[in-house]
Amino acid sequence: MDFQEPEINDIEIVSRSKAMQAYQILGKPCFVIDSGFNIHNYPNNPGYPGAFVRRSGISEDIEGLLNTLKDVEDRSCQFLDCLTFYDGNEFFNFYGKNEGYITYEKRGKGHKEMRSALWYVFQPKGSVKTLAEMTNEERECGHISAKNQFIEWYKKRYLNTRRLVKDEI
């Protein structure tokens, strides 16, 4: 679903807003994930585009991005995710981070798992491949996953409780 996003460069606030909207539509506990992309030394705007990846259009113009960064030596950047679970009373946030670098050229092939054209130029730390060149298994290594943190938390908090109740019946 597409939701109204607050005009603020903070993925946690955006994620919470989307979770609240999803809850109002579904009437049930739900979760959403919002992502950001920070280029630490983007010329005249460090940290750009942050939570404004989609609105900035940066992933639709990879050649323009590479041209903007052509004289930038430190090309460090990171993908950030905030998964927000909302049960109707409380918000629970989980954060993911994948640090890396912007390559000097576009590399890799498009595929159905691709979440952004930035995958063509994002090379995770410790890798020689861009996300677009990696297999699913390779992409899972080396980054902190908001989704995996949420799954573990959810299992402990809800599934174990439900099993106890079910076993008592």
Side-chain angles (χ1 to χ4, degrees):
M1 291 183 217
D2 278 331
F3 300 107
Q4 285 289 78
E5 290 190 16
E7 290 290 324
I8 189 159
N9 196 1
D10 184 320
I11 63 171
E12 180 180 325
I13 292 172
V14 173
S15 185
R16 283 178 175 230
S17 173
K18 289 178 176 182
M20 174 78 76
Q21 292 174 63
Y23 183 85
Q24 289 170 346
I25 292 166
L26 300 170
K28 295 179 181 181
C30 55
F31 68 90
V32 299
I33 298 175
D34 198 69
S35 298
F37 186 69
N38 299 330
I39 303 169
H40 302 308
N41 291 300
Y42 193 88
N44 303 315
N45 197 359
Y48 180 80
F52 298 131
V53 176
R54 184 181 296 166
R55 288 176 267 178
S56 72
I58 197 167
S59 62
E60 281 80 44
D61 186 14
I62 298 300
E63 295 304 324
L65 171 63
L66 292 173
N67 189 50
T68 299
L69 296 177
K70 71 179 184 249
D71 296 325
V72 175
E73 255 182 67
D74 180 359
R75 299 164 77 88
S76 60
C77 58
Q78 62 186 1
F79 275 106
L80 297 170
D81 293 324
C82 180
L83 185 151
T84 299
F85 176 77
Y86 182 55
D87 64 8
N89 296 310
E90 285 185 86
F91 292 98
F92 300 91
N93 297 305
F94 304 87
Y95 303 93
K97 182 177 5 180
N98 195 352
E99 296 189 46
Y101 309 93
I102 302 281
T103 58
Y104 286 89
E105 71 278 336
K106 191 174 165 181
R107 299 191 332 236
K109 297 178 186 173
H111 44 83
K112 65 181 179 177
E113 292 88 11
M114 212 164 157
R115 293 177 25 203
S116 166
L118 290 167
W119 283 24
Y120 290 117
V121 295
F122 180 80
Q123 181 177 317
K125 273 188 179 176
S127 176
V128 295
K129 296 179 181 179
T130 65
L131 290 177
E133 295 173 301
M134 293 180 171
T135 65
N136 288 339
E137 294 78 27
E138 288 172 319
R139 274 191 300 282
E140 290 297 317
C141 295
H143 78 282
I144 299 166
S145 169
K147 179 182 71 174
N148 291 345
Q149 290 176 39
F150 168 71
I151 290 169
E152 290 307 311
W153 172 84
Y154 189 85
K155 283 179 187 176
K156 287 177 187 167
R157 183 173 176 116
Y158 291 99
L159 297 182
N160 291 339
T161 305
R162 287 200 178 134
R163 280 191 195 114
L164 288 174
V165 171
K166 201 175 189 180
D167 290 343
E168 292 172 359
I169 296 175

